[in-house]
Coordinates of all heavy atoms in Angstrom, one line a residue:
M173 N -6.1 -4.5 20.5 CA -6.1 -5.1 19.2 C -4.9 -4.6 18.3 O -4.7 -3.4 18.2 CB -7.4 -4.8 18.5 CG -7.6 -5.6 17.2 SD -9.3 -5.4 16.7 CE -9.0 -5.0 15.0
A174 N -4.1 -5.5 17.8 CA -3.0 -5.1 16.9 C -3.4 -4.8 15.5 O -4.4 -5.3 15.0 CB -2.0 -6.3 16.9
E175 N -2.7 -3.8 15.0 CA -3.0 -3.4 13.6 C -2.5 -4.4 12.6 O -1.5 -5.1 12.8 CB -2.3 -2.1 13.3 CG -3.0 -0.9 13.9 CD -2.3 0.4 13.4 OE1 -1.5 0.4 12.5 OE2 -2.8 1.4 13.9
E176 N -3.3 -4.6 11.5 CA -2.8 -5.5 10.5 C -1.8 -4.8 9.6 O -2.0 -3.7 9.3 CB -4.0 -5.9 9.6 CG -4.9 -7.0 10.1 CD -5.9 -7.4 9.1 OE1 -7.0 -6.7 9.0 OE2 -5.7 -8.4 8.4
T177 N -0.8 -5.6 9.2 CA 0.2 -5.0 8.3 C 0.3 -5.8 7.0 O -0.1 -7.0 7.0 CB 1.6 -4.9 9.0 OG1 2.0 -6.2 9.4 CG2 1.6 -3.9 10.2
Y178 N 0.8 -5.2 6.0 CA 1.0 -5.9 4.7 C 2.5 -5.6 4.3 O 2.9 -4.5 4.3 CB 0.1 -5.4 3.7 CG 0.3 -5.9 2.3 CD1 -0.1 -7.2 1.9 CD2 1.0 -5.2 1.3 CE1 0.1 -7.7 0.6 CE2 1.3 -5.7 0.1 CZ 0.8 -6.9 -0.3 OH 1.1 -7.4 -1.5
E179 N 3.2 -6.7 3.9 CA 4.6 -6.5 3.4 C 4.6 -7.1 2.0 O 4.3 -8.3 1.9 CB 5.6 -7.1 4.4 CG 7.0 -6.8 4.0 CD 8.0 -7.3 5.1 OE1 7.5 -7.8 6.1 OE2 9.2 -7.2 4.8
G180 N 5.0 -6.3 1.1 CA 5.0 -6.8 -0.3 C 5.3 -5.8 -1.3 O 5.9 -4.7 -1.0
E181 N 4.9 -6.0 -2.6 CA 5.2 -5.1 -3.7 C 4.1 -4.1 -3.8 O 2.9 -4.3 -3.8 CB 5.3 -6.0 -5.0 CG 6.4 -7.0 -5.0 CD 7.6 -6.5 -5.7 OE1 7.4 -5.8 -6.8 OE2 8.7 -6.7 -5.3
F182 N 4.6 -2.8 -4.0 CA 3.7 -1.7 -4.3 C 4.3 -1.1 -5.6 O 5.4 -1.2 -5.9 CB 3.8 -0.6 -3.2 CG 3.2 -1.0 -1.9 CD1 3.9 -1.7 -1.0 CD2 1.9 -0.6 -1.6 CE1 3.3 -2.0 0.2 CE2 1.3 -0.9 -0.4 CZ 2.1 -1.7 0.6
Y183 N 3.4 -0.4 -6.4 CA 3.9 0.3 -7.5 C 4.0 1.8 -7.2 O 2.9 2.4 -6.8 CB 2.9 0.0 -8.7 CG 3.4 0.8 -10.0 CD1 4.4 0.2 -10.7 CD2 2.8 2.0 -10.4 CE1 4.8 0.8 -11.9 CE2 3.3 2.6 -11.6 CZ 4.3 2.1 -12.3 OH 4.7 2.6 -13.4
C184 N 5.1 2.4 -7.4 CA 5.3 3.8 -7.2 C 5.0 4.5 -8.5 O 5.7 4.3 -9.4 CB 6.7 4.1 -6.6 SG 7.0 5.8 -6.3
V185 N 4.1 5.5 -8.4 CA 3.7 6.2 -9.6 C 4.8 7.2 -10.0 O 5.1 7.5 -11.1 CB 2.4 6.9 -9.4 CG1 1.8 7.5 -10.7 CG2 1.3 6.0 -8.9
K186 N 5.5 7.8 -9.0 CA 6.5 8.8 -9.2 C 7.8 8.2 -9.8 O 8.3 8.7 -10.7 CB 6.8 9.5 -7.9 CG 7.6 10.8 -8.0 CD 7.7 11.5 -6.7 CE 8.4 12.8 -6.9 NZ 8.5 13.5 -5.6
C187 N 8.2 7.0 -9.1 CA 9.4 6.3 -9.7 C 9.1 5.5 -10.9 O 10.1 5.1 -11.6 CB 10.0 5.4 -8.6 SG 10.5 6.2 -7.1
K188 N 7.8 5.2 -11.1 CA 7.4 4.3 -12.2 C 8.1 2.9 -12.1 O 8.6 2.4 -13.1 CB 7.7 4.9 -13.6 CG 6.8 6.1 -13.8 CD 7.0 6.6 -15.2 CE 6.1 7.7 -15.6 NZ 5.6 8.7 -14.7
D189 N 8.1 2.4 -10.9 CA 8.8 1.1 -10.6 C 8.1 0.4 -9.4 O 7.5 1.0 -8.6 CB 10.2 1.3 -10.3 CG 11.1 0.1 -10.6 OD1 10.5 -0.9 -11.1 OD2 12.3 0.1 -10.2
K190 N 8.3 -0.9 -9.4 CA 7.7 -1.7 -8.2 C 8.7 -1.5 -7.1 O 9.9 -1.7 -7.2 CB 7.5 -3.2 -8.6 CG 6.4 -3.4 -9.5 CD 6.1 -4.8 -9.7 CE 4.9 -5.0 -10.6 NZ 4.7 -6.5 -10.9
R191 N 8.2 -1.3 -5.9 CA 9.0 -1.2 -4.7 C 8.5 -2.2 -3.6 O 7.3 -2.4 -3.4 CB 8.9 0.2 -4.1 CG 9.4 1.2 -5.1 CD 10.9 1.4 -5.0 NE 11.2 2.5 -6.0 CZ 12.2 2.4 -6.8 NH1 13.0 1.3 -6.8 NH2 12.6 3.3 -7.6
S192 N 9.4 -2.7 -2.8 CA 9.0 -3.5 -1.7 C 8.9 -2.6 -0.5 O 9.8 -1.8 -0.2 CB 10.1 -4.6 -1.4 OG 10.1 -5.6 -2.4
A193 N 7.8 -2.7 0.2 CA 7.5 -1.9 1.4 C 6.6 -2.6 2.4 O 6.0 -3.6 2.0 CB 6.9 -0.6 0.9
K194 N 6.5 -2.0 3.6 CA 5.7 -2.6 4.6 C 4.7 -1.4 5.0 O 5.2 -0.4 5.3 CB 6.5 -3.1 5.8 CG 5.7 -3.8 6.9 CD 6.6 -4.3 7.9 CE 5.8 -5.1 9.0 NZ 6.7 -5.6 10.0
G195 N 3.4 -1.8 5.1 CA 2.4 -0.7 5.4 C 1.3 -1.3 6.2 O 1.1 -2.5 6.3
N196 N 0.5 -0.4 6.7 CA -0.7 -0.8 7.5 C -1.9 -1.0 6.6 O -2.0 -0.4 5.5 CB -1.1 0.3 8.5 CG -0.1 0.5 9.5 OD1 0.6 -0.4 9.9 ND2 0.1 1.7 10.0
I197 N -2.8 -1.9 7.0 CA -4.0 -2.2 6.2 C -5.1 -1.4 6.8 O -5.4 -1.4 8.0 CB -4.4 -3.7 6.3 CG1 -3.3 -4.5 5.5 CG2 -5.7 -4.0 5.6 CD1 -3.5 -6.0 5.6
V198 N -5.8 -0.7 5.9 CA -7.0 0.1 6.3 C -8.2 -0.3 5.4 O -8.0 -0.9 4.3 CB -6.8 1.6 6.1 CG1 -5.7 2.1 7.0 CG2 -6.4 2.0 4.7
V199 N -9.4 0.0 5.9 CA -10.6 -0.3 5.1 C -11.3 1.0 4.7 O -11.5 1.9 5.6 CB -11.6 -1.2 5.9 CG1 -12.9 -1.4 5.1 CG2 -11.0 -2.5 6.4
N200 N -11.5 1.2 3.4 CA -12.0 2.5 2.9 C -13.6 2.5 3.1 O -14.2 1.5 3.6 CB -11.6 2.8 1.5 CG -12.2 1.9 0.5 OD1 -13.0 1.0 0.8 ND2 -11.8 2.0 -0.8
D201 N -14.2 3.6 2.7 CA -15.7 3.7 2.8 C -16.5 2.7 2.1 O -17.6 2.4 2.6 CB -16.1 5.1 2.3 CG -15.4 6.2 3.1 OD1 -15.0 6.0 4.3 OD2 -15.4 7.4 2.6
R202 N -16.0 2.1 1.0 CA -16.7 1.1 0.3 C -16.5 -0.3 0.8 O -17.0 -1.3 0.2 CB -16.3 1.2 -1.2 CG -16.7 2.5 -1.8 CD -16.2 2.5 -3.3 NE -17.2 3.3 -4.0 CZ -17.5 3.1 -5.2 NH1 -17.0 2.2 -5.9 NH2 -18.4 3.9 -5.8
G203 N -15.7 -0.4 1.8 CA -15.4 -1.8 2.4 C -14.3 -2.5 1.8 O -14.2 -3.7 1.9
T204 N -13.4 -1.8 1.0 CA -12.3 -2.5 0.4 C -11.0 -2.3 1.2 O -10.8 -1.3 1.8 CB -12.0 -1.8 -1.0 OG1 -13.2 -1.8 -1.8 CG2 -10.9 -2.5 -1.7
K205 N -10.3 -3.5 1.4 CA -9.1 -3.4 2.2 C -8.0 -2.8 1.3 O -7.9 -3.2 0.1 CB -8.7 -4.8 2.6 CG -9.3 -5.4 3.8 CD -8.7 -6.7 4.1 CE -9.0 -7.1 5.5 NZ -8.4 -8.4 5.8
M206 N -7.2 -1.9 1.8 CA -6.1 -1.3 1.1 C -4.9 -1.2 2.0 O -5.0 -1.0 3.2 CB -6.4 0.1 0.7 CG -7.6 0.3 -0.2 SD -8.0 2.0 -0.6 CE -6.6 2.5 -1.5
A207 N -3.7 -1.5 1.5 CA -2.4 -1.3 2.2 C -1.8 0.0 1.8 O -1.8 0.4 0.7 CB -1.5 -2.4 1.8
K208 N -1.4 0.8 2.8 CA -0.8 2.1 2.7 C 0.6 2.1 3.2 O 0.8 1.7 4.3 CB -1.7 3.2 3.3 CG -3.0 3.3 2.7 CD -3.7 4.5 3.3 CE -5.1 4.7 2.5 NZ -5.2 6.0 2.0
A209 N 1.5 2.6 2.4 CA 2.9 2.7 2.8 C 3.6 3.9 2.2 O 3.0 4.7 1.5 CB 3.6 1.4 2.4
K210 N 4.9 4.1 2.5 CA 5.7 5.1 1.9 C 6.7 4.5 1.0 O 7.3 3.5 1.4 CB 6.3 6.0 3.0 CG 5.4 6.8 3.8 CD 5.4 8.2 3.3 CE 4.5 9.1 4.3 NZ 4.0 10.2 3.6
C211 N 7.0 5.1 -0.1 CA 8.1 4.6 -1.0 C 9.4 4.8 -0.3 O 9.7 5.9 0.1 CB 8.1 5.4 -2.3 SG 9.4 4.9 -3.5
P212 N 10.2 3.8 -0.2 CA 11.5 3.9 0.5 C 12.5 4.8 -0.3 O 13.5 5.3 0.3 CB 12.0 2.5 0.6 CG 11.2 1.7 -0.4 CD 10.0 2.4 -0.6
K213 N 12.3 5.0 -1.6 CA 13.2 5.8 -2.4 C 12.9 7.3 -2.5 O 13.7 8.1 -2.2 CB 13.3 5.2 -3.8 CG 14.4 5.7 -4.6 CD 14.9 4.6 -5.5 CE 16.3 4.9 -6.0 NZ 17.0 3.8 -6.5
C214 N 11.6 7.6 -2.7 CA 11.2 9.0 -2.9 C 10.3 9.5 -1.9 O 10.1 10.8 -1.8 CB 10.6 9.2 -4.3 SG 9.0 8.4 -4.5
G215 N 9.7 8.7 -1.1 CA 8.8 9.1 0.0 C 7.3 9.3 -0.4 O 6.6 9.8 0.4
T216 N 7.0 9.0 -1.6 CA 5.6 9.2 -2.0 C 4.7 8.1 -1.4 O 5.1 7.0 -1.1 CB 5.5 8.9 -3.6 OG1 6.4 9.9 -4.2 CG2 4.1 9.1 -4.1
N217 N 3.4 8.5 -1.1 CA 2.5 7.6 -0.6 C 2.2 6.5 -1.6 O 1.9 6.8 -2.7 CB 1.2 8.3 -0.2 CG 1.3 9.2 1.0 OD1 2.1 8.9 1.9 ND2 0.5 10.3 1.0
L218 N 2.2 5.2 -1.1 CA 1.9 4.1 -1.9 C 0.6 3.4 -1.4 O 0.3 3.3 -0.2 CB 3.0 3.0 -1.8 CG 4.4 3.5 -2.2 CD1 5.4 2.4 -1.9 CD2 4.5 3.9 -3.6
N219 N -0.3 3.0 -2.4 CA -1.5 2.3 -2.1 C -1.6 1.0 -2.9 O -1.1 0.9 -4.0 CB -2.7 3.1 -2.5 CG -2.9 4.3 -1.6 OD1 -2.8 4.2 -0.4 ND2 -3.0 5.5 -2.2
R220 N -2.1 -0.1 -2.2 CA -2.3 -1.3 -2.9 C -3.7 -1.8 -2.5 O -3.9 -2.0 -1.3 CB -1.2 -2.3 -2.6 CG -1.5 -3.6 -3.4 CD -0.4 -4.6 -3.1 NE -0.7 -5.8 -3.8 CZ 0.0 -6.4 -4.7 NH1 1.1 -5.8 -5.1 NH2 -0.3 -7.5 -5.3
I221 N -4.5 -2.1 -3.5 CA -5.9 -2.6 -3.1 C -5.8 -4.1 -3.0 O -5.2 -4.8 -3.8 CB -6.9 -2.2 -4.3 CG1 -7.0 -0.7 -4.4 CG2 -8.2 -2.9 -4.1 CD1 -7.8 -0.3 -5.6
L222 N -6.3 -4.6 -1.8 CA -6.2 -6.0 -1.5 C -7.5 -6.8 -1.7 O -7.5 -8.0 -1.7 CB -5.7 -6.2 0.0 CG -4.4 -5.5 0.3 CD1 -4.2 -5.5 1.8 CD2 -3.3 -6.1 -0.4
G223 N -8.6 -6.1 -1.8 CA -9.9 -6.8 -2.0 C -10.9 -6.5 -1.0 O -10.7 -5.6 -0.1
K224 N -12.1 -7.1 -1.0 CA -13.1 -6.8 0.0 C -12.7 -7.3 1.4 O -12.1 -8.3 1.5 CB -14.4 -7.5 -0.4 CG -15.1 -6.9 -1.6 CD -15.8 -5.6 -1.3 CE -16.5 -5.0 -2.5 NZ -17.1 -3.7 -2.2
A225 N -13.2 -6.5 2.3 CA -12.9 -6.9 3.8 C -13.7 -8.0 4.2 O -14.7 -8.4 3.7 CB -13.2 -5.6 4.6

């Protein structure tokens, strides 16, 4: 089974700016889908909540 990926805009808290990145989709304990990636500029972890699974 292939992993789901998300490509789009994330907000970097460290840079305080929107960044385009590509990351994997994971489901947290509460059943919410989240995209996780790394900031291409500073390397900080980026999260974007996508909604219920």
Side-chain angles (χ1 to χ4, degrees):
M173 188 171 129
E175 286 188 2
E176 281 187 274
T177 58
Y178 173 82
E179 188 170 354
E181 297 260 320
F182 291 84
Y183 182 77
C184 181
V185 190
K186 192 171 183 182
C187 297
K188 295 186 175 26
D189 201 9
K190 287 186 179 179
R191 302 275 181 225
S192 292
K194 185 175 183 178
N196 293 330
I197 294 177
V198 296
V199 178
N200 69 5
D201 297 339
R202 295 181 148 209
T204 306
K205 277 185 166 180
M206 296 177 68
K208 294 188 174 233
K210 292 262 186 207
C211 178
K213 195 147 196 158
C214 68
T216 302
N217 290 328
L218 303 174
N219 291 310
R220 181 178 177 118
I221 297 172
L222 302 173
K224 289 283 183 186

